[in-house]
Amino acid sequence: MPNTSNSPQEKAPAPAIRAYLGGSFDPVHNGHLEVAMSVYQHLLPIATRLQRTLHVSLLPNARSPFKTQSTDPSHRLNMLKLATENTPIQINELELWQAPPVYTIDSVRTLRKQYPNDSLLFIMGMDSAHSLDKWKDGLRLTDHVNLWVFNRQSSTDVSDGISDKFSDSIISSKNHTKSLQDIAFSKTQLPLSLQPHITDSPIELLTPTIQQLTDSSNSNSNNTDLKNANQGRIYIDPRPITAVSSTQIREQLQKLDDQTNKMPVAQRQIASIASINDIISNTESNPLAKWLNPAVYQYIIAHQLYSAAQFR
């Protein structure tokens, strides 16, 4: 019979594993979920073996610093909830209600203080990792978290460390050999101070925490320094991903809206239903079918988001 007592001598639970994918998610699309699920599926057997709780979360920001307009945070949050329903992916609202700009370094410091003993991972593209020396305190990120880096086949604008880390990408199984060659080259292009932190195994982002927990249990140390043994590593995922522009998704939504607005009301309703059915049945003729969750698309229509008139 298992011991269910709350004795002080009872062994403390193993630290959790927490991974975060940041972005504006305007709108959230299947590419975002593909990346988050890829990390989740990769980490789950490791977490199970180590008997550690796994959390993979989307971290929406208040507003993209590269957009003059951004959809209301409450709408983006509602779409995120619809997109992640029936998935293990969570949503963290840490940045969502803050006044922009919100810098990544501030977020990771906050998360490290909230979860001092957990393994924290931030997910980003290779282009962002290459430019961390241009972010606000970007080279200090590894003082607080580990980095899980995907090798994107195409790049978006380099940010200034403002939290819009990883928008619009999807896993691809093509050109795997080429990707490994690209990663070998990319490692040499990381800022020099970060190159010693590179590891070839994702488990290296996690296992030091177990050793640290063992060491701390054998001492009376009360070390509150944020930089400790379970931080400061960078794993470069060899699976390539191809960029998908949410800007293009918004433009396509605006075109559809502009076309349907020219129709009589009854025909407009039929056209909207047809577009939703295209997405549900993954019709190749509708470019949105590959990227949008049907519930998210229905929400966009119901709330008239990304309409052509909205951006004139």
Side-chain angles (χ1 to χ4, degrees), residues 240-291:
I241 56 175
T242 53
V244 179
S245 171
S246 56
T247 299
Q248 292 176 334
I249 290 177
R250 290 194 301 272
E251 289 174 351
Q252 185 64 33
L253 287 165
Q254 293 166 35
K255 288 178 182 177
L256 288 175
D257 177 78
D258 195 38
Q259 292 168 3
T260 55
N261 280 339
K262 296 175 182 178
M263 301 176 182
V265 175
Q267 189 177 351
R268 188 185 313 164
Q269 292 174 342
I270 294 172
S272 295
I273 293 171
S275 295
I276 293 173
N277 289 337
D278 283 346
I279 292 177
I280 293 173
S281 60
N282 196 22
T283 302
E284 292 184 2
S285 61
N286 189 332
L288 297 174
K290 184 178 180 181
W291 302 114

Side-chain angles (χ1 to χ4, degrees), residues 93-111:
E93 300 179 30
L94 171 66
E95 298 181 353
L96 189 61
W97 308 108
Q98 297 184 47
V102 179
Y103 291 95
T104 305
I105 189 64
D106 297 327
S107 296
V108 300
R109 284 171 176 158
T110 298
L111 290 167

Side-chain angles (χ1 to χ4, degrees), residues 10 29 48 55-56 79 141 165 187 193 304 309:
E10 190 173 352
H29 56 68
T48 301
H55 306 273
V56 176
M79 288 188 285
L141 291 183
K165 275 79 65 181
K187 288 179 180 180
S193 63
Q304 298 181 332

